[in-house]
Amino acid sequence: MSDQHSDHDISKHVRGYLIVFGALIIGTVLTVWASRIHFGAEGSNTANIVVALIIACSKAFLVAGYFMHLISEKKMIYSILAFTVFFATGLMYLTVWSMEPTNLIHFK
Amino acid sequence: MLRSALNNHPIKIFMEIPYTVKPRPDTGLYNAKVGIWLFLASEVMLFGALFSSYILLRVGAAPGTWPHGLLNVPLGTINTLVLITSSITVVMAWVSLKMNQFGKFRLYQAITLLCALAFLCIKSVEYHDKFMHYQILKTDGTYVDGHLVEKTADHVTLNGFETKDLSEINEPKHGEHHEHKPITVPTAEIKKIGNYGPWHNTYTAIYFTLTGLHALHVIGGALVIGFLWGPGSKMWKTDPERFTNRIEVSGLFWHFVDLVWIFLFPILYLL
């Protein structure tokens, strides 16, 4: 959130907030609807997981970008978040990597 | 303690906390905002660790043991909508202060608090349902799964169904619904009995851990918002800009709580 917004700027943003609110509701309905349809091959729910995560990430982008004003933030915040993204991605990567049975960590 | 050289009275030193309103020249931000983002960064790692635990547990689960359809999707959907509504009211409360409309701020934050309360009430209903949901393993190897009707020293009655195959309970085939009816099991025939609390299996353990931690965040956020709505709002009269910044910071935390739920809902309720 830029700290130097005028009242006029803010009232312009209100319309944007309401559009994001509507999009989030649609996204929620879409998430439930998509979960009732089986995508991909029989016996595998990989495609359903991918679809659900795409919708969740889109909703997260709307909340973080517009409600938390990350699309117009200062460099300092982006620097903090760059570290967070690096470590959080590393954590997830290590988790997924450790599940691969051919990895060296599984050899005794 | 410092004392006056004239009369030896203690000297109180008042130091103003810097950059509560004006942005700090090097960061371009007021200090509380940098602080909340650093805190949120640590929160991402906290929930990230739990999400990665979820992935490990789920992928490592033996076929037929990871439950599906155990949670109430309509209630989860309503809770998602409740949190989204609270997110817009939080941001509108901040907008109201920026536009010098204190009355509207109070109204929007009151709705936020009601949403927080509604979320916690719905979550309590869901938790209660899990604590009343029992599974019995009989001495003949049959499972009885359902909600508790009666529990005495002689017998236990569940409203549910009976099966020999555990995967029928955990992974019901799409569109398949077992007919629920009251089943009474004499105590002598019970080998093992337990409810769907966190101790039931790895799914309920991670479900209660993730949603419980999230609910604690909802309670924490609601307490802060409640304080700033009530007694803390006096600051609006003395230092409106600082008060507005406080609302912004509490709002950032609240949006983060919403953000976490956006991921929790599909992975726990739908997938």
Side-chain angles (χ1 to χ4, degrees), chain B residues 133-166:
Chain B
H133 188 170
Y134 275 75
Q135 192 175 85
I136 296 172
L137 172 60
K138 288 164 68 176
T139 47
D140 65 355
T142 312
Y143 291 94
V144 181
D145 194 272
H147 284 82
L148 185 68
V149 177
E150 192 183 28
K151 195 177 180 183
T152 66
D154 300 331
H155 67 270
V156 177
T157 305
L158 300 184
N159 185 31
F161 65 98
E162 208 167 356
T163 178
K164 278 208 177 275
D165 185 4
L166 192 60

Side-chain angles (χ1 to χ4, degrees), chain B residues 191-206:
Chain B
K191 189 176 177 188
K192 199 175 162 192
I193 180 169
N195 64 10
Y196 276 68
W199 41 80
H200 182 67
N201 57 24
T202 46
Y203 173 79
T204 57
I206 197 75

Side-chain angles (χ1 to χ4, degrees), chain B residues 31-41 248-250 252-253:
Chain B
N31 278 354
K33 195 161 179 180
V34 179
I36 191 71
W37 274 109
L38 283 170
F39 175 66
L40 293 182
E248 184 183 9
V249 166
S250 63
L252 284 171
F253 177 77

Side-chain angles (χ1 to χ4, degrees), chain A residues 83-103:
Chain A
F83 279 102
T84 314
V85 169
F86 175 78
F87 286 112
T89 310
L91 176 69
M92 292 299 168
Y93 176 75
L94 282 175
T95 306
V96 175
W97 177 79
S98 72
M99 289 186 294
E100 182 59 51
T102 56
N103 276 331

Side-chain angles (χ1 to χ4, degrees), chain A residues 37-108:
Chain A
I37 296 168
H38 187 80
F39 299 103
E42 187 69 34
S44 162
N45 66 344
T46 310
N48 278 65
I49 292 172
V50 171
V51 170
L53 286 181
I54 288 172
I55 300 170
C57 287
S58 309
K59 287 169 69 185
F61 169 76
L62 290 174
V63 172
Y66 293 92
F67 286 172
M68 298 171 91
H69 305 99
L70 270 185
I71 53 163
S72 57
E73 258 307 348
K74 294 281 191 293
K75 204 176 159 188
M76 177 75 186
I77 304 293
Y78 293 138
S79 308
I80 294 169
L81 289 179
F83 279 102
T84 314
V85 169
F86 175 78
F87 286 112
T89 310
L91 176 69
M92 292 299 168
Y93 176 75
L94 282 175
T95 306
V96 175
W97 177 79
S98 72
M99 289 186 294
E100 182 59 51
T102 56
N103 276 331
L104 282 174
I105 54 166
H106 297 292
F107 288 111
K108 290 181 181 166

Side-chain angles (χ1 to χ4, degrees), chain B residues 80-91:
Chain B
T80 308
L81 297 174
V82 164
L83 272 193
I84 290 170
T85 306
S86 71
S87 258
I88 184 81
T89 55
V90 158
V91 85

